[in-house]
Amino acid sequence: MADVTQRILALLATLQTGRAFTADELVARLGVSPRTLRRDVDRLREYGYPVRTRPGPGGHYRLVAGSALPPLVLDDDEAIATLLGLATLAATGRAAEGSVDEAATRAYGKVDQFLPKRLRHRAAQLRASLETSAAAAPSVSADVLAELAEAIQRRLVVTFDYTGRDGAVTSRRAEPYRHVHHNLRWYLLARDTAKDDWRVFRLDRLTGLRTSTSTYEPRPLPADTALDYLRQGLGKDRERVVLTVEASLADVADAFAYEDADLEALGERRTRAVLALDTWEWLLLRLAFLDAPFTVEEPAGFRAALRSFGARLAGGGGPAQPVA
């Protein structure tokens, strides 16, 4: 029976990749006979998994979306990762009704209903023992994320109202390309049709989303990735700062945990950090707690400012007093 169960799980894991497989592909991949394959597919259907079969030339097997959610097939590590992911997402935002974080909170409480029996006890233990700190972040509608995802996939033009940083509300028409999640914020990279240029929109400032039936021809992204383009925009008014720190990459990552920093290990106890900062003062507290020698490679103005501040610190304690 154990062999049958393992075989069924292997077949299900293969079909859950979402692509279609010919019978010959599945027979070769799973190491079974065509007759055994047909029986295993029938078993999956009995368990509630909708496996569609297309006979004849070009025939294939494919797992399609069904009307009901059958039991999830997760191994122990996947079950733990699922709960941790839901807990992390639930800890962000204000749990507004219909938001992604509120949905994650609800899903976190009921995920055991869809787990195999052997994992429910372990999942319950993890849920009872886990606490997460709340992170201040704006809530984003799960429906908005889903509707934009469909528009991106189908290349449909969308319209919406957008509240800018100054509070002004404008109507926008855009070609959506990517979602980006960065520093606890959700963004949309889109091409604004009125301005005929690329724009990044905060999803928590977007209301009245409407998807049209108009399609658009895709264009190359304005950067290597949507995240690169977002980071370029966020850092356009900041200076590029390059540091070499005589500490491990892990220690430097801890010190700059709340900065958007690119880190590179130059050795076991040497790390290069590249940041975008408004002023040199942002470095002080991080470097003080890091307690390691460092060199500011660029910009020169930051080096001069830190030297000047160091001289002020040196004189801040007054003259040395004799020990009684």
Side-chain angles (χ1 to χ4, degrees), residues 48-280:
Y49 291 93
V51 181
R52 179 177 295 170
T53 305
R54 180 178 175 182
H60 60 256
Y61 292 95
R62 186 169 189 170
L63 186 66
V64 297
S67 58
L69 181 64
L72 291 177
V73 178
L74 299 175
D75 61 28
D76 293 23
D77 291 343
E78 290 169 342
I80 291 173
T82 298
L83 285 173
L84 292 177
L86 289 171
T88 301
L89 186 56
T92 63
R94 301 183 301 274
E97 185 176 354
S99 66
V100 173
D101 41 296
E102 188 264 343
T105 301
R106 288 186 284 108
Y108 181 78
K110 65 171 78 168
V111 68
D112 60 323
Q113 298 178 37
F114 304 109
L115 290 174
K117 290 183 179 179
R118 68 180 183 84
L119 287 178
R120 288 178 186 170
H121 179 62
R122 189 171 190 185
Q125 288 177 326
L126 180 63
R127 190 169 60 250
S129 65
L130 179 65
E131 291 186 10
T132 54
S133 60
S139 293
V140 173
S141 166
D143 286 341
V144 166
L145 281 169
E147 189 171 345
L148 281 173
E150 181 180 3
I152 292 170
Q153 179 66 27
R154 297 176 58 193
R155 299 172 184 167
L156 298 176
V157 175
V158 298
T159 59
F160 51 87
D161 297 325
Y162 190 71
T163 304
R165 278 187 288 182
D166 58 357
V169 179
T170 56
S171 295
R172 303 297 185 99
R173 188 173 187 272
E175 301 168 353
Y177 276 77
R178 294 287 190 279
H179 284 139
V180 182
H181 188 250
H182 181 62
N183 288 346
L184 300 181
R185 302 291 187 272
W186 287 94
Y187 298 89
L188 170 69
L189 171 64
R191 190 165 184 87
D192 191 314
T193 59
K195 300 180 183 300
D196 193 26
D197 200 3
W198 295 94
R199 291 290 187 271
V200 174
F201 302 98
R202 280 257 304 262
L203 291 191
D204 58 291
R205 297 177 181 170
L206 185 153
T207 58
L209 176 66
R210 299 170 295 280
T211 302
S212 73
T213 57
S214 302
T215 60
Y216 62 88
E217 287 298 317
R219 311 188 195 199
L221 293 179
D224 290 339
T225 66
L227 177 59
D228 286 340
Y229 185 77
L230 171 64
R231 293 170 74 177
Q232 290 169 15
L234 293 175
K236 67 180 180 180
D237 297 324
R238 301 176 181 180
E239 286 198 75
R240 183 175 185 265
V241 182
V242 182
L243 306 170
T244 302
V245 186
E246 305 303 323
S248 69
L249 188 144
D251 289 341
V252 177
D254 284 343
F256 291 102
Y258 298 102
E259 299 289 349
D260 187 11
D262 286 327
L263 305 179
E264 178 188 1
L266 302 179
E268 188 175 342
R269 298 288 303 171
R270 200 159 193 253
T271 303
R272 183 175 188 262
V274 180
L275 307 93
L277 298 175
D278 295 318
T279 63
W280 60 271

Side-chain angles (χ1 to χ4, degrees), residues 22-70:
T22 67
D24 290 342
E25 286 178 316
L26 290 174
V27 165
R29 182 181 290 239
L30 301 172
V32 298
S33 67
R35 181 180 179 184
T36 298
L37 174 64
R38 289 192 294 272
R39 284 196 312 227
D40 289 346
V41 168
D42 288 340
R43 287 191 180 97
L44 280 181
R45 289 171 176 153
E46 291 172 1
Y47 297 154
Y49 291 93
V51 181
R52 179 177 295 170
T53 305
R54 180 178 175 182
H60 60 256
Y61 292 95
R62 186 169 189 170
L63 186 66
V64 297
S67 58
L69 181 64

